[in-house]
């Protein structure tokens, strides 16, 4: 099913989403990859505060290429999500509601998604140049020393993603294969 969601989204909106839904996200999302996740995780472990309000937020696992003249951002394709799995349950427990990346997630992350009422979405890898056209504003807000892995606050309009794991733990990567095989 196709849905348009304004981010941040309410818990009710998040719970209404199902694995396989095609989403068009508009609003504010943040970027973070491996190094930023490790730094946020370490900060929380030491009792510190995160550099942005994570409650209800979405994170896009993204390290964009430099913007060309006249562009807001360079290529904006997703990073492999499993690289963030070690840090994700803690961030979900602090209020993270959505993640955008590519690839499978660990059982521990899926359990945390269900426990915290969050979702995991995939952006299509290889379409970074096209996805960047859906980003209308971007600014580095933390960890500038990490270069492309710095945390960015971005405004997106109709960023296309697919719900892979929903709040009930339904996993499109598992159900799509079994549904396909059952149809044969």
């Amino acid at each position: 099913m196709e849905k348009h969601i304004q981010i941040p989204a309410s818990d009710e909106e998040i719970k209404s989403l199902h694995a396989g839904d095609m989403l068009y996200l508009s609003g504010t999302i943040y970027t973070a990859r491996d190094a930023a996740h490790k730094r946020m995780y370490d900060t929380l472990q030491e009792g510190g505060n995160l550099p942005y309000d994570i409650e209800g937020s979405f994170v896009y696992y993204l390290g964009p290429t430099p913007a060309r003249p006249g562009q807001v951002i360079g290529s904006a394709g997703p990073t492999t999500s499993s690289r963030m799995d070690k840090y994700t349950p803690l961030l979900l427990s602090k209020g993270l509601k959505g993640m955008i990346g590519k690839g499978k997630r660990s059982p521990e992350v899926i359990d945390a998604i269900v426990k915290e009422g969050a979702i995991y979405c995939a952006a299509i890898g290889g379409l970074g140049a096209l996805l960047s056209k859906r980003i209308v504003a971007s600014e580095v807000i933390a960890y500038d020393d990490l270069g492309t892995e710095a945390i960015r606050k971005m405004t997106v309009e109709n960023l296309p993603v697919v719900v892979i794991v929903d709040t009930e733990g339904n996993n499109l990567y598992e159900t799509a294969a079994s549904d396909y095989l059952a149809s044969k």
Side-chain angles (χ1 to χ4, degrees):
M1 176 176 275
E2 183 178 304
K3 297 183 179 182
H4 291 259
I5 300 291
Q6 185 70 34
I7 302 301
S10 69
D11 287 344
E12 294 78 31
E13 286 177 298
I14 298 294
K15 288 178 184 176
S16 75
L17 301 173
H18 302 286
D21 285 350
M22 181 71 199
L23 297 184
Y24 292 90
L25 303 175
S26 296
T28 300
I29 63 175
Y30 297 87
T31 67
R33 284 183 32 167
D34 316 43
H37 271 74
K38 181 178 183 341
R39 195 171 290 177
M40 288 189 295
Y41 181 87
D42 290 346
T43 297
L44 289 171
Q45 293 292 85
E46 295 165 4
N49 294 317
L50 295 178
Y52 69 95
D53 183 7
I54 197 169
E55 183 69 35
S57 72
F58 272 56
V59 64
Y60 187 5
Y61 303 140
L62 165 67
T65 62
R68 291 184 179 176
Q71 292 181 317
V72 171
I73 199 166
S75 184
T79 297
T80 302
S81 302
S82 62
R83 292 166 40 189
M84 274 49 78
D85 281 0
K86 174 181 178 182
Y87 314 112
T88 300
L90 178 60
L91 295 175
L92 287 167
S93 76
K94 298 299 181 186
L96 181 66
K97 282 297 176 185
M99 298 153 288
I100 305 163
K102 67 179 180 182
K104 293 183 176 185
R105 303 310 298 263
S106 69
E108 294 79 15
V109 169
I110 293 171
D111 289 346
I113 288 170
V114 172
K115 178 180 178 189
E116 304 300 339
I119 60 171
Y120 168 59
C121 301
I124 299 173
L127 294 182
L130 292 173
L131 291 169
S132 70
K133 295 180 186 309
R134 301 297 184 170
I135 301 166
V136 298
S138 173
E139 67 174 308
V140 173
I141 61 163
Y143 311 150
D144 189 40
D145 62 303
L146 297 179
T148 61
E149 290 203 32
I151 295 178
R152 294 176 181 269
K153 178 181 180 181
M154 299 191 312
T155 303
V156 297
E157 289 181 3
N158 293 314
L159 181 73
V161 299
V162 177
V163 177
I164 301 300
V165 179
D166 62 27
T167 59
E168 297 177 7
N170 299 308
N171 186 336
L172 184 63
Y173 290 146
E174 294 173 3
T175 59
S178 60
D179 290 350
Y180 173 78
L181 293 172
S183 71
K184 292 293 178 181

